[in-house]
Amino acid sequence: MAGSRWAYVRNFELPDTLLPNTFILLRLDGHSFHRFADDHAFVKPNDLRALELMDPRSLGSDARVPRCGSLHMGSPTSTASCFESLRSCIIDDNRKSHLCLCSLFTSTYVMLWPQCFPDTPLRYAPSFDARIVLYPGAQEVRDYFSWRQADTHVNNLYNTAFWALVQQGGQTTKEAHETLRGTVSSQKHEILFSRFGINYNDLPRQFRKGSTIVKDKLPIVKTDDDEGEADIKIKADSVPNENDIDEAGVPAREKASSEKRRARAATQQRLLHCDIIADGFWKLRPVSVRRMRSLACVL
């Protein structure tokens, strides 16, 4: 039918190819999620079921999701989800209208709902809107993610203090808003500790830092540090003697080289609750065309 007399209607389609040689960031926002959370009785201020539902590992396993890099951000009551791809990554010819992650994300959210909320029927379908932002360089990409985590921290601290005043302090929501109006972070910390014995820094890292899913292609040596990050290092095995031969007759040096190549090629997915603003996280996973790892975060 391409040559039919009706084919002229395609001339009304506007070109929507994205600018090449840029980092493509697709951001999804939940529509009226405060109401959605209330209607489905989300636990305040943080609902582990909702956080599990937002876990991007389920979506990231879909073959249609770009594998060259993604970051997912969200919270139980107000979700902001981001998927970022590399400069060298071409997705559906980089046509803006062909990026279907918004519909994929929404359908996956609905499909996984019974697993995370087995006792809470989905009353109506959630909705998400999407926007695309193009960033010229790696620094802007990192700054965007840093901004999102900093904003998440501010919101979570406020929500933690707010719901403590309501649930434990007996205040109405209006009174709690008035109590917190104009306060800075240190004052919110003081309210939590002096009135309710809550040390905000002792709350689970998942609430304070969010969840970051990383796919690393290097052997991992886990070390505990202040941010719960796991260091990634290539194991420094001693160099084998070139004259050593194993039982199968394979030279030890050749065998070690082969094992090292397989270790480098293997991809390991890990869940972290860490600071993605500090330099340490990005030194291990620099935002570049060659070395960008697949990231996913629930914040």
Side-chain angles (χ1 to χ4, degrees), residues 178-199:
E178 289 298 324
T179 301
L180 297 176
R181 185 186 301 275
T183 59
V184 296
S185 295
S186 59
Q187 292 172 311
K188 295 182 181 69
H189 280 276
E190 180 61 26
I191 290 174
L192 286 171
F193 187 76
S194 61
R195 299 192 186 185
F196 310 108
I198 299 175
N199 186 335

Side-chain angles (χ1 to χ4, degrees), residues 5-297:
R5 63 189 179 93
W6 301 287
Y8 78 95
V9 296
R10 295 193 62 183
N11 297 330
F12 290 89
E13 296 183 12
L14 298 177
D16 59 353
T17 303
L18 298 172
L19 189 67
N21 199 34
T22 58
F23 290 89
I24 303 172
L25 190 140
L26 176 66
R27 176 178 174 180
L28 296 90
D29 286 317
H31 177 67
S32 300
F33 247 69
H34 284 284
R35 175 189 170 188
F36 182 85
D38 291 339
D39 290 344
H40 291 87
F42 281 19
V43 177
K44 308 294 181 64
N46 292 290
D47 193 317
L48 289 175
R49 300 168 301 171
L51 290 175
E52 182 181 355
L53 182 57
M54 293 291 293
D55 190 333
R57 284 178 293 182
S58 57
L59 182 61
S61 62
D62 194 294
R64 291 167 291 176
V65 177
R67 295 184 178 181
C68 40
S70 65
L71 180 69
H72 173 102
M73 297 182 175
S75 68
T77 58
S78 179
T79 179
S81 309
C82 307
F83 298 89
E84 183 270 334
S85 64
L86 299 179
R87 294 187 181 195
S88 61
C89 181
I90 304 299
I91 310 171
D92 292 327
D93 297 325
N94 273 16
R95 291 195 60 182
K96 184 177 182 180
S97 59
H98 286 190
L99 299 180
C100 301
L101 288 182
C102 185
S103 60
L104 174 61
F105 181 87
T106 305
S107 59
T108 303
Y109 190 95
V110 173
M111 182 179 66
L112 296 180
W113 177 272
Q115 299 180 25
C116 300
F117 288 84
D119 301 323
T120 305
L122 188 63
R123 296 179 56 186
Y124 52 87
S127 60
F128 300 85
D129 62 75
R131 72 196 70 176
I132 290 177
V133 185
L134 304 180
Y135 288 105
Q139 186 60 50
E140 289 80 9
V141 172
R142 174 178 171 177
D143 289 346
Y144 175 83
F145 293 147
S146 298
W147 166 58
R148 293 306 306 161
Q149 187 174 66
D151 191 58
T152 298
H153 165 70
V154 171
N155 291 336
N156 188 68
L157 176 59
Y158 183 94
N159 289 335
T160 301
F162 175 84
W163 287 108
L165 290 169
V166 173
Q167 296 171 348
Q168 302 179 46
Q171 294 189 2
T172 65
T173 56
K174 182 177 180 180
E175 291 171 341
H177 280 303
E178 289 298 324
T179 301
L180 297 176
R181 185 186 301 275
T183 59
V184 296
S185 295
S186 59
Q187 292 172 311
K188 295 182 181 69
H189 280 276
E190 180 61 26
I191 290 174
L192 286 171
F193 187 76
S194 61
R195 299 192 186 185
F196 310 108
I198 299 175
N199 186 335
Y200 181 79
N201 294 323
D202 290 338
L203 296 180
R205 294 182 186 274
Q206 184 177 8
F207 301 157
R208 296 183 291 112
K209 301 293 185 181
S211 301
T212 303
I213 312 298
V214 295
K215 290 182 180 179
D216 291 311
K217 294 184 178 180
L218 297 178
I220 297 170
V221 178
K222 186 174 182 181
T223 59
D224 295 330
D225 59 20
D226 293 338
E227 298 299 339
E229 173 64 287
D231 293 333
I232 299 176
K233 301 177 181 178
I234 298 177
K235 295 181 180 179
D237 296 329
S238 59
V239 178
N241 190 307
E242 60 181 2
N243 296 322
D244 293 341
I245 299 177
D246 66 4
E247 297 179 356
V250 179
R253 185 183 293 274
E254 179 180 336
K255 181 179 180 181
S257 177
S258 176
E259 290 177 348
K260 187 175 181 180
R261 285 195 300 270
R262 286 198 301 271
R264 283 180 176 274
T267 299
Q268 182 172 356
Q269 182 173 275
R270 296 183 298 137
L271 173 65
L272 305 175
H273 305 301
C274 64
D275 184 0
I276 64 173
I277 298 177
D279 291 336
F281 181 88
W282 298 100
K283 286 180 179 179
L284 292 175
R285 303 169 191 86
V287 183
S288 66
V289 173
R290 293 184 178 181
R291 298 193 61 190
M292 177 67 182
R293 308 303 186 203
S294 178
L295 305 176
C297 301

